[in-house]
């Protein structure tokens, strides 16, 4: 039997590290952050459309973003836009999609991807995905895409793998959450660590086996849904299911525990676009290393990101490593690399009023 490949796009995040441009009512995945004329969600769909047709896509998002997904991806069947009643992290999101897919196609292969990544060399990316689709054929194998690091980045998770020059598929040894700078430097020097991209490839039955083994409480909940998926009772069931499961990432819940995780090394120009700093790295810059998306006059200013509505003239003097962003009713001026402060910024802004977040 010919195995079909399904694409699961995770698009439920709120993008708080891109505040105030990214807001609760329209997070970063629904924005044209890169100035391409397509939002990050649409760019993700475009990228995987070369692998599977629209009817093979599932998008998992918060219930508040259903209309946005329908507007931006009109080719995806509405019953394949899976709306979450609560935010329960990636393990729950992945479980919902995989159990629903397995009901209709128990022989499926599944690619899971975040909605907000930048891939520069898409031809090379597709080669690696095809390699991963072949590699996942083994019993209960879970394939992740690792990214060859070029700096000691503390904002990414890391994967340690067992080096085997004769095999393109590497056995994963350990997962490590975001390390401190000293540890990140050690990882980089060791040569056997890669960045965790958050992309996964597997046979749907391998995913269900892993949930049953490592997250049995989640498996039990979503197995009960087999009678309700693709019926008028699905929404009611999912509301109950999400109230029963914990907030857990797929990395912590399964990938860190399984001894059947393998890695395909990706070197295709990747960024998770997780912060203003990472966006700065990927945008065109002036001779002083500034990204300027504004009608601006700059004096003695370098390494900055200036994004303000072009109807206003912005005059900046003497700044180094700063973000200046005015979006709707919020003006933010802070250090460009202050991404760890954004949770505080957003929380304090919320205390000023819901309209600010």
């Amino acid at each position: 039997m010919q195995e079909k490949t399904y694409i699961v796009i995770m698009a439920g995040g709120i993008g708080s590290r891109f505040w105030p441009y990214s807001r609760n009512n329209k997070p970063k995945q629904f924005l044209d952050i890169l100035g391409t004329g397509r939002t990050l969600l649409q760019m993700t769909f475009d990228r995987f459309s070369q692998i599977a047709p629209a009817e093979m896509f599932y998008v998992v998002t918060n219930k508040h973003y259903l209309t946005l997904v329908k507007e931006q991806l009109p080719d995806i069947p509405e019953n394949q836009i899976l709306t979450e009643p609560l935010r329960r992290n990636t393990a729950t999101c992945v479980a919902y999609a995989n159990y629903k897919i397995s009901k209709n196609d128990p022989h499926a292969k599944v690619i899971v991807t975040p909605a907000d990544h930048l891939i520069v060399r898409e031809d090379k990316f597709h080669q690696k995905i095809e390699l991963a689709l072949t590699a996942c054929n083994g019993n209960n194998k879970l394939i992740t895409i690792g990214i060859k690091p070029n700096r000691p980045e503390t904002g990414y998770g890391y994967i340690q793998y067992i080096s085997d020059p004769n095999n393109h598929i590497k056995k994963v040894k350990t997962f490590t959450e975001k390390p401190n700078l000293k540890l990140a430097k050690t990882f980089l020097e060791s040569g056997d660590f890669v960045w965790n991209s958050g992309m996964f490839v597997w046979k749907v039955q391998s995913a269900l086996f892993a949930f049953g083994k490592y997250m049995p409480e989640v498996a039990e909940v979503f197995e009960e849904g087999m009678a309700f998926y693709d019926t008028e009772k699905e929404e009611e069931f999912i509301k109950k299911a999400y109230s029963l499961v914990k907030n857990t990432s797929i990395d912590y819940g399964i990938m860190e525990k399984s001894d059947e995780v393998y890695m395909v090394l990706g070197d295709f120009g990747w960024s998770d676009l997780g912060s203003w700093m990472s966006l700065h790295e990927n945008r065109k810059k002036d001779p002083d290393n500034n990204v300027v998306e504004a009608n601006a006059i700059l004096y003695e200013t370098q390494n900055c990101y200036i994004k303000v509505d072009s109807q206003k003239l912005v005059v900046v003097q003497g700044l180094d490593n700063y973000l200046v962003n005015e979006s709707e009713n919020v003006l933010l001026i802070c250090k460009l690399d202050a991404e760890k402060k954004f949770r505080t910024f957003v929380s304090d802004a919320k205390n000023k009023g819901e309209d600010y977040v």
Side-chain angles (χ1 to χ4, degrees):
M1 182 178 178
Q2 180 67 36
E3 295 169 325
K4 296 178 181 176
T5 299
Y6 295 78
I7 315 297
V8 174
I9 302 177
M10 300 182 290
I14 56 175
S16 59
R17 286 183 293 167
F18 270 106
W19 181 81
Y21 184 39
S22 174
R23 302 290 186 99
N24 282 340
N25 64 346
K26 199 171 187 180
K28 68 170 182 173
Q29 61 267 30
F30 302 109
L31 301 172
D32 179 15
I33 279 183
L34 293 167
T36 63
R38 299 285 278 173
T39 68
L40 295 180
L41 175 62
Q42 289 171 321
M43 290 177 69
T44 302
F45 173 77
D46 296 344
R47 185 179 308 128
F48 284 96
S49 291
Q50 298 182 46
I51 296 170
E55 59 267 23
M56 309 299 285
F57 279 74
Y58 284 75
V59 178
V60 190
T61 192
N62 188 274
K63 62 181 180 180
H64 299 299
Y65 307 140
L66 173 61
T67 300
L68 281 169
V69 175
K70 287 167 63 176
E71 288 173 353
Q72 295 193 5
L73 300 178
D75 294 336
I76 293 182
E78 186 171 342
N79 72 321
Q80 290 173 208
I81 302 173
L82 313 187
T83 55
E84 300 181 290
L86 302 166
R87 289 189 170 90
R88 284 290 184 266
N89 215 317
T90 53
T92 306
C93 157
V94 169
Y96 181 12
N98 278 267
Y99 276 92
K100 179 162 175 166
I101 289 170
S102 73
K103 177 181 179 177
N104 297 315
D105 188 351
H107 304 288
K109 288 184 176 180
V110 179
I111 300 170
V112 179
T113 179
D116 50 7
H117 287 180
L118 169 67
I119 305 292
V120 177
R121 296 188 291 278
E122 295 200 353
D123 55 341
K124 206 164 189 179
F125 170 75
H126 290 131
Q127 292 173 11
K128 298 295 185 176
I129 291 293
E130 289 298 332
L131 183 61
L133 285 167
T134 301
C136 76
N137 283 323
N139 286 339
N140 303 320
K141 279 188 177 180
L142 307 174
I143 313 298
T144 184
I145 309 296
I147 307 298
K148 188 174 182 179
N150 56 20
R151 63 182 185 278
E153 174 63 56
T154 59
Y156 297 155
Y158 283 73
I159 300 169
Q160 184 183 26
Y161 63 93
I162 298 171
S163 183
D164 181 356
N166 299 316
N167 198 334
H168 293 298
I169 313 301
K170 313 294 185 181
K171 186 84 163 61
V172 169
K173 192 173 181 180
T174 62
F175 281 79
T176 304
E177 288 301 309
K178 300 171 183 177
N180 59 37
L181 183 59
K182 183 179 179 181
L183 192 55
K185 287 179 177 177
T186 302
F187 288 169
L188 194 66
E189 290 165 2
S190 74
D192 60 353
F193 282 81
V194 292
W195 290 333
N196 182 0
S197 73
M199 288 184 278
F200 310 104
V201 181
W202 48 53
K203 296 172 72 170
V204 73
Q205 293 303 326
S206 299
L208 269 53
F209 175 84
F211 274 106
K213 185 174 182 179
Y214 302 108
M215 301 188 76
E217 69 289 350
V218 172
E220 183 179 357
V221 168
F222 284 97
E223 280 170 4
E224 289 180 9
M226 289 298 190
F228 305 108
Y229 302 137
D230 295 312
T231 74
E232 59 186 16
K233 295 184 178 180
E234 179 174 344
E235 183 178 356
E236 180 184 349
F237 166 76
I238 288 299
K239 188 174 181 181
K240 176 187 174 184
Y242 270 66
S243 71
L244 296 173
V245 296
K246 295 178 181 178
N247 187 320
T248 308
S249 72
I250 190 70
D251 288 329
Y252 180 78
I254 289 180
M255 305 304 282
E256 292 180 14
K257 298 171 182 174
S258 172
D259 57 2
E260 290 295 334
V261 180
Y262 293 80
M263 185 273 296
V264 170
L265 182 61
D267 50 353
F268 36 69
W270 172 90
S271 171
D272 77 339
L273 296 178
S275 66
W276 286 103
M277 188 73 175
S278 62
L279 185 58
H280 179 273
E281 292 169 0
N282 288 284
R283 295 308 303 268
K284 184 179 179 181
K285 291 172 272 290
D286 70 11
D288 293 311
N289 203 39
N290 299 303
V291 175
V292 182
E293 297 178 46
N295 180 16
I297 305 173
L298 307 183
Y299 303 92
E300 299 99 45
T301 293
Q302 56 201 6
N303 308 311
C304 290
Y305 200 128
I306 315 292
K307 182 176 177 62
V308 177
D309 191 297
S310 60
Q311 293 181 345
K312 292 186 177 180
L313 176 64
V314 184
V315 182
V316 179
Q317 186 272 328
L319 293 187
D320 186 357
N321 182 40
Y322 267 84
L323 165 68
V324 179
N325 175 232
E326 182 178 47
S327 295
E328 298 177 32
N329 57 351
V330 176
L331 171 63
L332 173 65
I333 303 170
C334 68
K335 287 287 189 180
L336 181 58
D337 58 3
E339 60 185 78
K340 292 180 181 178
K341 295 278 190 182
F342 271 71
R343 186 167 292 182
T344 302
F345 294 165
V346 173
S347 176
D348 291 345
K350 188 175 182 179
N351 291 334
K352 289 282 188 179
E354 290 285 346
D355 288 345
Y356 297 121
V357 293

